[in-house]
Amino acid sequence: MIINKSFIVKPHDDGEFIAEAFGIESGHNNVILNNIEIPDEIPKVTYITGESGCGKSTLLKEVYSKYIQKLEIPREPLFKWGKDEQETLKYLSLVGLGDAVLFMSYYDELSDSQQYRARLLLELLNDNEIIVLDEFLSTLDRKTAQSVAYCFQKAIRKTSKKIVVATAHDDLIDYLQPDLLIKGKAFPSRWEIHRNDTTKILNPYNDIIIKDEDKNW
């Protein structure tokens, strides 16, 4: 499918002097998405990234809005969120909440970044086939974000689910290993589409050397 999105600039009366100063004529067509070709079939992992203001959220809503759902947060400890406690504990670890204290915690007791990871847990436990996430892992420190991204995509690939994520951070490519990578630039608006072969998922942590004393610990 071909995606185009723009809006007409209509300066407010009080802002006409700004429009004149920068040469913006009334009725200027501000193009955000210009002839972006998106595959009709959603691949397993889609990663949308790029500069702030390039139109990531607009693209997300324009193409995938029908899949965006607000899930109700359960009023139970995290380990009771799923139908199967063993599966829930496994997913808790995959989203970076692998701590016994956190297992027994309620959503309101978590920090902002932990709450985000808890919502990822909810997405994994939910029956929705397509998961669409804006500002994906944006609030996490980058090492944690990379680890969670890697575990999250591995979990997704073992299910029938598909994910579409958007974030200004472009440091998750090696960890999400997306089938479809969409990269945007803001000024001027420009988009690149990359389709990747993910038949062989590489482990970005293969070069980590674990010392014998660490293994014993």
Side-chain angles (χ1 to χ4, degrees):
M1 70 183 78
I2 304 297
I3 307 299
N4 290 285
K5 185 69 176 180
S6 61
F7 64 91
I8 303 299
V9 178
K10 297 180 180 179
H12 189 272
D13 291 344
D14 295 338
E16 286 185 354
F17 76 96
I18 296 178
E20 291 176 2
F22 287 91
I24 301 174
E25 299 179 359
S26 180
H28 171 75
N29 189 30
N30 188 34
V31 178
I32 300 175
L33 307 175
N34 185 23
N35 287 331
I36 303 177
E37 186 175 353
I38 305 294
D40 291 327
E41 183 177 349
I42 299 175
K44 199 68 175 174
V45 178
T46 300
Y47 182 13
I48 303 171
T49 187
E51 301 168 342
S52 295
C54 69
K56 297 183 297 297
S57 296
T58 301
L59 177 60
L60 206 65
K61 294 173 184 175
E62 192 72 15
V63 182
Y64 307 105
S65 59
K66 63 182 178 181
Y67 303 112
I68 298 175
Q69 297 188 31
K70 187 174 182 180
L71 301 177
E72 185 177 344
I73 303 296
R75 296 181 178 179
E76 293 180 303
L78 298 184
F79 79 93
K80 285 186 168 291
W81 279 20
K83 299 174 184 177
D84 184 313
E85 290 182 3
Q86 286 292 106
E87 180 186 48
T88 304
L89 292 174
K90 179 184 72 173
Y91 284 152
L92 275 163
S93 296
L94 286 174
V95 299
L97 296 173
D99 182 282
V101 173
L102 295 176
F103 293 164
M104 297 181 291
S105 297
Y106 290 80
Y107 181 81
D108 292 341
E109 297 172 341
L110 305 177
S111 68
D112 289 346
S113 64
Q114 289 170 343
Q115 286 184 346
Y116 189 96
R117 282 174 271 178
R119 292 196 293 273
L120 292 184
L121 166 69
L122 202 56
E123 295 284 4
L124 285 170
L125 294 171
N126 198 272
D127 293 332
N128 297 336
E129 183 185 356
I130 311 295
I131 300 173
V132 180
L133 302 166
D134 200 1
E135 298 297 337
F136 181 65
L137 302 177
S138 295
T139 59
L140 273 61
D141 70 86
R142 302 322 299 157
K143 290 296 183 184
T144 301
Q146 291 165 356
S147 176
V148 172
Y150 179 67
C151 292
F152 191 61
Q153 63 87 13
K154 280 190 68 178
I156 289 296
R157 294 184 193 280
K158 292 177 181 178
T159 71
S160 60
K161 295 177 182 289
K162 300 176 180 180
I163 57 171
V164 180
V165 303
T167 174
H169 295 285
D170 62 359
D171 58 351
L172 301 178
I173 296 174
D174 290 342
Y175 301 88
L176 274 176
Q177 301 187 44
D179 303 84
L180 180 66
L181 174 63
I182 305 173
K183 300 183 73 173
K185 281 195 168 291
F187 304 107
S189 178
R190 188 171 76 252
W191 291 86
E192 298 174 359
I193 311 292
H194 302 276
R195 294 173 177 83
N196 302 316
D197 179 12
T198 55
T199 53
K200 294 183 179 179
I201 300 298
L202 303 177
N203 187 340
Y205 297 105
N206 276 341
D207 59 349
I208 295 177
I209 299 174
I210 301 176
K211 298 177 181 178
D212 287 338
E213 54 265 34
D214 293 331
K215 292 179 182 178
N216 292 334
W217 183 87

